[in-house]
Amino acid sequence: MPDESDKNPEDEFRDMLRQFLAGNAGIDPSQLAGAAGLPGDPASVNAMLSQLRNALQGAGDGSINWQAATDQAVTIATAEAAPISAEQRAALDQAFSIAALWLDDVTGITELTSVPKLVTRAEWARATMPVWTQLAEPVATSISDALTRVLREQAPDEFQGMVENAGALLRSIGGALFAMQLGQVVGQLSTEVVSGGDVGIPLLDDNQAAIVPQNVSVFGDGLDIPDDQVQLYLAVREIAHARLFRHARWLRLHLISSITEFARGISIDTDRLESLADGFDPSNPEELRQAMVDGSLIPPKTDAQLATLGRLETILALVEGWVDVVTARATSRLPKADAIAEMVRRRRATGGPAESAFSTLVGLELRPRRLREAAAMWQQITDAVGDEQRDSLWEHPDVIPTSDDIDDPSALIARLEARARGEVPEPDDFDTALENLLRGEENLLRGEENASPDDTGASEKGPSPDENPPAV
């Protein structure tokens, strides 16, 4: 038999983890669940152990198995789920039809080519998880790498070889815990959101509008507003949001790229992680759990992140403000539209518990801070130049309003009014530089086209250096 000392350190570490996950270690698995910020009930603990075993079995390259996030989210979404009744389906289908007609009166933006959907909480969680994981992956990778580094530095000498050779395995285990934490957040969000575009970013596939009927019913509770008015208002908002992203094809990629750019700049506070590792008490994991859910492992934002965040907040405010203005005009015939609109604005301004959890988990808030200012700007533009000129500002990222335009839209409105009159605006420095650049490239291309294949650079019409100049 081979000597125990010949055993690969990674295999030894894997065996130790298997013993723990099989319940043969001194730490209660429910304590690990608490440390990860997950519920400690038996069903949740068993699900966590199952996911960790899967990570242990497939941890070859240290990659994160995001199926753990989906499984966790669906478990939460189905806990108190209610099926979509025939009555709800009929009412919301009718609301979607009316909403599309009303929007046609206030915007020329293209209609949707796919039929709006009614989805359950679990369906919403499954459909949106690809975007959530894309946004969270940079942070999950940073946390897993930092955890591996700290464990390597903190491990006693006799365990150094074990930890050093099990880096990929540790990253997979840490990633699985983070994935389950993300699943906890998305699962809770599935009980709060009313539609696909409710959090501002496009979580569903392009050109898709969707409503969660169970959550729409909860939204209307206590408002003293007829259900059909609530359903119609929310249907108008959702279709307006989906139409905008279908019209501005660049917008979805622009938003998600900005978020992932921000997330990639996040680093983990290893000093904080080391202090937690030094004083970690397995029987009292509250400090570690609190660090994971309150965002204290993520240090203050860098200047580059703050700049990215500023651009992201502006575009989110522009999207939400445009949707607000278009929805207000489309629903002007609804008696209680203003009351519903104010409820939506307050809800977006404060956010729900799950949205707050996402901001601490990933270090990013999705709430548009300047929503009211952006909506006021869009309204002034609409009053001045109409729907078509307003919506033309979504044609390209170079022409959308800026943060300065939100502060004072007068210059933007003046340019739009001049364009409506057919006036050509005076070129600014950027326009002049661009025109000169393009003219130079055009001249260069024209010169290459006129040159013969064996041309050495001399003009065909001009004299060669050794030719006599023409007589005068």
Side-chain angles (χ1 to χ4, degrees):
M1 292 180 61
D3 190 274
E4 280 294 318
S5 60
D6 295 334
K7 200 169 191 179
N8 185 298
E10 184 173 350
D11 292 338
E12 186 178 350
F13 187 68
R14 192 185 298 266
D15 289 343
M16 184 182 73
L17 284 174
R18 283 200 180 99
Q19 289 290 316
F20 165 72
L21 295 176
N24 298 324
I27 300 176
D28 184 349
S30 63
Q31 295 169 351
L32 180 61
L38 302 172
D41 60 278
S44 297
V45 170
N46 288 334
M48 179 197 70
L49 293 177
S50 175
Q51 293 298 336
L52 290 179
R53 291 188 193 104
N54 291 337
L56 184 62
Q57 292 168 0
D61 57 359
S63 61
I64 298 172
N65 178 14
W66 289 108
Q67 187 60 40
T70 302
D71 293 344
Q72 183 74 11
V74 171
T75 298
I76 295 171
T78 54
E80 298 181 2
I84 301 173
S85 67
E87 182 181 358
Q88 286 176 320
R89 189 172 296 280
L92 285 166
D93 284 345
Q94 183 180 28
F96 276 133
S97 299
I98 297 173
L101 293 174
W102 285 4
L103 282 169
D104 288 342
D105 292 338
V106 297
T107 178
I109 278 184
T110 316
E111 294 184 15
L112 301 178
T113 57
S114 60
V115 178
K117 290 182 178 179
L118 305 182
V119 297
T120 63
R121 291 172 173 178
E123 288 170 339
W124 182 91
R126 289 193 192 93
T128 62
M129 187 58 76
V131 175
W132 292 119
T133 55
Q134 182 180 351
L135 304 184
E137 185 164 16
V139 182
T141 302
S142 295
I143 288 180
S144 295
D145 289 344
L147 179 61
T148 304
R149 186 167 61 252
V150 168
L151 287 176
R152 184 184 301 121
E153 294 170 354
Q154 295 288 319
D157 292 340
E158 61 269 24
F159 290 110
Q160 280 296 330
M162 180 186 298
V163 174
E164 188 69 31
N165 288 282
L169 179 59
L170 284 169
R171 281 192 294 273
S172 291
I173 295 294
L177 288 172
F178 185 93
M180 285 185 283
Q181 181 69 41
L182 176 65
Q184 181 84 7
V185 170
V186 175
Q188 183 59 39
L189 265 174
S190 73
T191 69
E192 299 173 8
V193 297
V194 297
S195 65
D198 198 15
V199 298
I201 60 176
L203 295 170
L204 300 174
D205 291 338
D206 189 28
N207 192 30
Q208 183 61 65
I211 271 183
V212 187
Q214 182 177 359
N215 296 347
V216 171
S217 298
V218 175
F219 177 91
D221 288 346
L223 289 182
D224 194 26
I225 298 174
D227 290 344
D228 59 343
Q229 291 196 38
V230 173
Q231 292 166 345
L232 185 49
Y233 186 92
L234 296 178
V236 170
R237 275 191 65 86
E238 175 63 4
I239 293 182
H241 190 272
R243 278 193 182 187
L244 175 60
F245 279 91
R246 182 177 185 274
H247 171 76
R249 295 288 186 178
W250 58 270
L251 184 55
R252 187 175 195 270
L253 178 60
H254 180 82
L255 258 178
I256 293 178
S257 298
S258 297
I259 296 174
T260 51
E261 178 187 351
F262 173 88
R264 286 193 194 98
I266 291 177
S267 60
I268 303 303
D269 187 350
T270 53
D271 290 338
R272 171 70 171 146
L273 204 55
E274 286 175 2
S275 67
L276 289 172
D278 283 340
F280 180 59
D281 179 5
S283 65
N284 182 24
E286 177 59 26
E287 186 179 10
L288 179 58
R289 187 202 70 80
Q290 189 62 29
M292 290 190 69
V293 299
D294 67 8
S296 62
L297 292 179
I298 299 176
K301 299 174 181 66
T302 65
D303 290 342
Q305 281 184 301
L306 289 173
T308 301
L309 184 61
R311 294 191 295 270
L312 182 59
E313 288 178 341
T314 296
I315 194 69
L316 283 172
L318 288 172
V319 169
E320 291 289 297
W322 182 90
V323 171
D324 268 11
V325 168
V326 170
T327 300
R329 294 188 62 217
T331 58
S332 59
R333 64 199 80 184
L334 274 182
K336 297 289 187 177
D338 290 342
I340 305 172
E342 185 59 29
M343 179 66 178
V344 169
R345 278 193 292 268
R346 288 180 182 175
R347 188 167 168 270
R348 288 291 290 122
T350 58
E355 193 176 329
S356 299
F358 179 78
S359 69
T360 56
L361 190 66
V362 180
L364 175 68
E365 290 186 2
L366 297 176
R367 295 191 293 276
R369 297 179 183 275
R370 308 188 64 195
L371 171 57
R372 291 181 185 270
E373 294 92 333
M377 179 207 70
W378 286 120
Q379 187 60 59
Q380 290 181 57
I381 292 174
T382 305
D383 294 340
V385 296
D387 303 334
E388 184 177 352
Q389 290 280 357
R390 176 201 65 207
D391 296 343
S392 70
L393 293 172
W394 291 108
E395 291 175 357
H396 192 274
D398 290 345
V399 299
I400 60 171
T402 64
S403 179
D404 291 339
D405 292 327
I406 294 177
D407 292 333
D408 180 9
S410 57
L412 173 60
I413 290 173
R415 291 197 300 272
L416 291 173
E417 289 176 332
R419 187 171 71 180
R421 294 191 297 267
E423 299 175 6
V424 179
E426 288 293 327
D428 57 19
D429 292 341
F430 177 80
D431 294 330
T432 302
L434 181 61
E435 183 180 357
N436 291 337
L437 176 63
L438 294 176
R439 185 182 294 115
E441 290 181 351
E442 182 180 351
N443 291 337
L444 179 61
L445 290 173
R446 186 180 296 114
E448 292 176 351
E449 290 173 357
N450 292 335
S452 61
D454 57 348
D455 193 2
T456 59
S459 170
E460 293 181 357
K461 296 181 179 180
S464 62
D466 56 340
E467 286 180 342
N468 294 326
V472 179

